[in-house]
Structures are given as C-alpha cells and as structure tokens.
Amino acid sequence: MPVKIATFNVNSVRARLPVLLRWLQEESPDCVALQETKVEDAKFPLAEFLEAGYTVSHHGQPRYNGVAFLSKRPMEDVTTGFGDPDWPEDCRIIQGTYQGVKVIGTYVPNGTAVGSEKFAYKLAWFERFGRLVRERTSPDDPVVWLGDINVAPRPEDVFDPVKLEGNVCYHPDERAALARLMEWGWTDCFRKFHPEPGQFTYWEFFLPNGFKRNLGWRIDHVYASPGLVERCTSCTVDKEPRSWERPSDHTPVIATFGT
C-alpha cells in the first residue's frame, strides 16, 4: 500500500486544531510531521487526535517551537533533539520510523535577522544537523527529512527573488548551508515533479491579500534519501487549508511513497 507522509507548520496546534482536524479527515495522510506546535507536552491536545484515528509523538515547550508526529500506526524508535549536551533543547527535531521508513521532522531556526546571533545559530544548526544525519543514517536507507526548513533554495521558490535576495530565508549563506546538506544525497521531492515557479507553502500574514496575490515562499520541504526517492510517486502542496478560517500561515506538503 502507498504511504502518504506530510509536513505541516501549524503555527500553534491548539489555535489551528479545527483546521488540522478537518484536513486530516479530508486528506487522510498516514504520517504527518508538525512544526511550531507551541505547547508543552502536558497540554498537547491528545484526545482530539486519538479520536480522529491518529497516535501522537510530541516534543514541545510553551509558546515557541515544538514538533510532533501524527500517525495512523504508532511511530517506532522515536527520539528528539540532537542528543548533544552542547546544544540547547529547543524542540526542533523529532525522529521515528513509520512502516520501515525513517522519518526526520525538523523546525529549522528562522534566523530572525541577517548578521544576528540567531542567524549565526541557524547556520551552525544546519552544520550540526548534517552531522546528525551522517551519524545516524545511511544514504542507502529509506529516509525522509521534512518540515519547515526556513530556506527557499532557488529563485523559483520566492515571489520576488530580486527584491528578496539577501533576506532571511533567502540569503546566499543559508542556501549554501542547505546545498551542503543536499550533498549527502537528498532529493527535493516536490521539485522532482514540479519544476515550475510560483508554487509556495508560506504566505506572510502582514502582506495585504498576500495569499490571494500568491506572494509566497516555498520553505516547507520533503526530502528523500537515495534509498527511497525512486519510491516517491507524487509530491504536492495542498493550498486549501491556507484559505480556511483562522489558518496557519503555512500549508501542508504531501509526498506519497510506494512499497
């Protein structure tokens, strides 16, 4: 049976609960990686997801960050963070195995402002994440890395590449950091099927009618390892939830993998 694996930055799982539950019912993904859940583990809305037919693995903190898995079958071997005492536990990484596929969900630091300490942390985070991947996985393994990556890698991935060049999430240093990660063997599943511009996953709230005018960024990605990419039969951006009442500023990306 094909497996549908998705990523969705919900920008608060409790605020976006009606949107998320509706989307789960309509789309019925097998496994979803969530980002920006913005809730500590004790207050995660477990009951609602269990009633919807999903098990939950979550790693959260109050008000900021937070990652989780929703899955029709329990995730196996779930771990969180870098497992490195030299790095802060800021609830950005969750890993597990779903039906034989290693799934790595991430909420990459935004970087806030070019030249800031947070921007330097973002670049260092990418380097440390690359080490994590090399230490724990092999390109021959079936591995998916997905989430809010907070980088638009190519000019086609932003609504105005000339105007936005050098901004956070479309800065050459960030694109170079992501490119170094890609050398491990990752394939951008969406671009495998959709080379055209204008396909976005994030539209800022503060831009007037930004979603209707499609003033967006493609910063939510699904990557597959060489050991899995040939099994990827589709990858789509589902824009519908962004048009619903009280939406997240992001929308889901869904990849389907054959057995």
Side-chain angles (χ1 to χ4, degrees), residues 5-52:
I5 301 178
T7 180
F8 195 175
N9 180 322
V10 290
N11 191 7
S12 175
V13 69
R14 291 183 293 181
R16 243 51 80 176
L17 192 57
V19 168
L20 185 51
L21 291 172
R22 175 182 170 183
W23 178 74
L24 290 171
Q25 182 179 30
E26 293 186 5
E27 190 59 40
S28 192
D30 296 287
C31 177
V32 186
L34 302 180
Q35 304 87 44
E36 279 202 276
T37 56
K38 296 183 177 180
V39 61
E40 60 266 48
D41 291 339
K43 296 182 179 180
F44 197 97
L46 287 173
E48 291 85 347
F49 293 115
L50 293 173
E51 185 176 350

Side-chain angles (χ1 to χ4, degrees), residues 60-77:
Q61 63 189 82
R63 298 187 302 279
Y64 300 102
N65 306 337
V67 287
F69 287 134
L70 310 178
S71 55
K72 290 184 176 179
R73 298 182 183 180
M75 300 290 291
E76 300 175 352
D77 305 319

Side-chain angles (χ1 to χ4, degrees), residues 144-210:
V144 174
W145 167 36
L146 75 174
D148 180 353
I149 309 303
N150 262 322
V151 177
R154 292 162 38 174
E156 304 96 296
D157 297 321
V158 291
F159 69 91
D160 189 339
V162 175
K163 178 182 177 181
L164 296 172
E165 175 64 36
N167 280 256
V168 169
C169 298
Y170 190 60
H171 189 280
D173 290 349
E174 296 167 288
R175 300 198 300 268
L178 180 57
R180 287 191 292 272
L181 282 177
M182 298 294 287
E183 292 173 0
W184 179 84
W186 297 114
T187 293
D188 184 335
C189 292
F190 183 79
R191 286 304 183 199
K192 176 183 176 183
F193 300 99
H194 304 281
E196 68 276 8
Q199 306 296 310
F200 305 130
T201 65
Y202 166 74
W203 299 262
E204 294 167 289
F205 284 137
F206 72 83
L207 286 176
N209 293 314

